[in-house]
Every structure is written in structure tokens, then in C-alpha cells.
Amino acid sequence: MANPILYVTDFSPNSVPALHHASKLAAQTGEDLVVAHVSDVLPTPDNPSPVYHSLPSIIAAETAAKEQLDQIEPTAPGVTIVRRLLHGDPAEEIIRHANEIRAQMIVLGTHGRTGLLKLLMGSVAEAVVRGADCPVVVVKPSTTIGDKSSDG
């Protein structure tokens, strides 16, 4: 794995167009596709009180995340895939993992929030764009392969 493409998913339908782009880029470059999901169900120093409080609910959430991650397949032929389940703050973990694997690029979807909602809630995609050392491709939910607006 020289300089893989890092595709990040939250398992939402908004992540699917980004998977298509990441797969296409991995096929074009001949690099591996690292598919990552960041779970925030385990306690971390920054989040000692995660969303799930009981051990059975944590185990169930982790199992579900692993199962969803295992179901993701590249959409371009011949692409080698590596799956990673990360834990912690999504933006921080995406950036950390991209640096760790020396990703040539990060590809992720966006929920398309704008205006006041974006101002109040922030955006993982925006934080990754600001903090990453490699190029970041943010794919809008409505983007499809072959769109002139998405292929440059």
C-alpha cells in the first residue's frame, strides 16, 4: 500500500457517490482503496461519555459498524480494498489515519448542509479539508459519475 486513496463513510446514502469517485480514482491510479468509518461509541479522552452507555449497546453498535463496513465493495473493477474501523472524533481520526497510511487523497461525502445549520453544527468535511495534509475531495450527495461538474 504505497499511497492509497482513503474513502470515508458514515454509511448514509450521501456517502455512496463518494464511494464511486474513490473507486474510480483508485482504479485510475492503481492504488489500494482504504475504506474507513469513524465510530464514536467508545470512550476517548475527548469524549469520556459516548453516545452509548451500556456495554451491550456499545458491543451492538461496534458489531453493526463492522458488518456495514464489510459490505462495502469498490464500484470499479480490479480495486484492492482495505477496511478500517476507527474510533474517536471523526475529523481528527480521518486526518490522523490519512497521515498514518500516507494517503494520496481523502474522498468523503457531505450532507450538503449550508447556512445557519452549518454554522451551528460545523462540518466533518470542512474540518478535514482544513486540517488534512493531502488533497481532499468532497462529493455532494447529488453528484454522479459522468457529471461534468464532478469529473472536472
Side-chain angles (χ1 to χ4, degrees):
M1 203 166 41
N3 295 103
I5 305 294
L6 175 58
Y7 160 68
V8 182
T9 180
D10 63 0
F11 304 130
S12 75
N14 291 331
S15 296
V16 175
L19 173 61
H20 296 307
H21 281 279
S23 295
K24 183 177 173 183
L25 289 166
Q28 289 174 347
T29 62
E31 295 292 348
D32 290 351
L33 178 63
V34 175
V35 176
H37 172 74
V38 183
S39 171
D40 61 357
V41 299
L42 295 177
T44 63
D46 292 336
N47 184 16
S49 180
V51 176
Y52 301 95
H53 298 286
S54 71
L55 185 57
S57 61
I58 290 172
I59 292 170
E62 286 291 292
T63 300
K66 287 177 187 173
E67 288 173 357
Q68 285 182 284
L69 202 54
D70 286 344
Q71 291 176 9
I72 295 175
E73 294 293 336
T75 58
V79 174
T80 301
I81 188 170
V82 177
R83 294 171 182 87
R84 298 281 189 256
L85 181 57
L86 309 174
H87 297 89
D89 175 77
E92 289 175 14
E93 283 304 304
I94 292 165
I95 293 166
R96 183 197 61 75
H97 194 65
N99 290 335
E100 182 179 291
I101 65 171
R102 296 182 174 178
Q104 68 173 284
M105 183 178 304
I106 301 168
V107 181
L108 68 159
T110 180
H111 290 284
R113 292 184 187 120
T114 58
L116 185 58
L117 184 58
K118 181 178 174 186
L119 180 65
L120 294 174
M121 304 244 347
S123 164
V124 171
E126 182 180 359
V128 171
V129 167
R130 290 178 188 258
D133 292 332
C134 63
V136 178
V137 176
V138 180
V139 181
K140 292 180 183 180
S142 61
T143 305
T144 58
I145 296 296
D147 262 356
K148 292 185 192 257
S149 62
S150 66
D151 286 340

